[in-house]
Amino acid sequence: MSMREQERRKRRAISRADGVKKRLNGRMREAELLAKEAKRRAEEVKRRIEVGDVEPRPLPSLREDSMPSMESSRSMPSMESSPSMASAELSSGVPLEEAAYGGGEMGEDMPLGIEPRRAHEDLGRRITEDTGAEGDVHLHAERKADEMKSQMTEDTDAGGDMKLHADRKAERMAAEMLEE
């Protein structure tokens, strides 16, 4: 790299640093003005209370306790309850929940002799098949999360370590800013 190029980069870096410094100084001035304004308003409120222009609010602990209580309204009569219904059962006399999951009995309304418990387990196995979790949904979710972390951190070679990935990204961005 030539000396001119180095000097040009140095001047750009210094001008960027000066720009950042100016922005920070501007924000500091804004913060000081806001602080002065808040202090002025606080002094004004204090003066108005001392002079008597404003009636100070009661302390929170005295507000509700010191007020006289209102008379409570009369309650309305309750509605009469409706009679309970008999539980739904299959024609075989077995309650629905027991038919679906108990003892492996088949429900009468299931098409083609599908047993709900077995269908549930088969679905679990099919869903978790791609991660090899064999029906374990929690293991499947954990493996999917690890896979996603690996994919997200591929470009920084962080191997699924999100903190390392973030650190490397920040380093790259800083290096790119210094190059400009």
Side-chain angles (χ1 to χ4, degrees):
M1 184 181 314
S2 70
M3 290 295 287
R4 286 184 182 167
E5 181 66 25
Q6 288 178 354
E7 288 175 5
R8 189 171 41 246
R9 283 188 177 184
K10 180 181 173 184
R11 281 193 302 269
R12 273 194 252 150
I14 289 172
S15 69
R16 276 196 310 269
D18 288 341
V20 169
K21 186 177 178 181
K22 285 179 185 177
R23 284 195 307 271
L24 287 174
N25 286 336
R27 289 181 184 162
M28 291 298 291
R29 269 186 256 117
E30 287 176 18
E32 287 173 2
L33 290 174
L34 287 173
K36 283 181 183 178
E37 180 64 22
K39 188 174 183 179
R40 185 190 61 76
R41 284 194 311 259
E43 291 295 326
E44 184 180 314
V45 169
K46 184 177 172 184
R47 183 197 58 78
R48 289 176 69 193
I49 291 172
E50 288 173 352
V51 171
D53 294 351
V54 175
E55 192 70 31
R57 289 186 286 183
L59 295 173
S61 62
L62 300 177
R63 284 186 190 166
E64 294 174 15
D65 295 343
S66 61
M67 293 175 54
S69 59
M70 292 178 25
E71 189 176 316
S72 58
S73 59
R74 293 183 180 206
S75 61
M76 296 180 62
S78 301
M79 288 179 46
E80 198 172 308
S81 325
S82 59
S84 60
M85 297 173 55
S87 60
E89 295 182 0
L90 296 173
S91 59
S92 63
V94 180
L96 284 175
E97 290 177 13
E98 292 176 22
Y101 294 104
E105 289 185 33
M106 189 169 64
E108 292 178 5
D109 59 344
M110 293 297 291
L112 304 172
I114 298 173
E115 294 181 23
R117 178 173 280 168
R118 188 175 301 147
H120 180 75
E121 290 169 359
D122 288 344
L123 179 62
R125 271 195 219 89
R126 279 196 317 246
I127 290 173
T128 59
E129 193 174 72
D130 62 328
T131 59
E134 298 177 9
D136 185 350
V137 182
H138 298 290
L139 180 60
H140 173 75
E142 193 174 301
R143 288 179 179 172
K144 276 290 191 182
D146 290 341
E147 181 181 319
M148 290 170 68
K149 280 194 250 180
S150 295
Q151 288 174 355
M152 289 172 61
T153 59
E154 242 175 32
D155 62 328
T156 59
D157 295 323
D161 185 349
M162 297 305 279
K163 183 175 179 343
L164 180 61
H165 174 71
D167 291 342
R168 288 181 178 171
K169 278 283 200 183
E171 288 171 4
R172 278 186 190 171
M173 290 174 68
E176 288 173 5
M177 288 179 65
L178 289 175
E179 285 180 3
E180 292 178 1

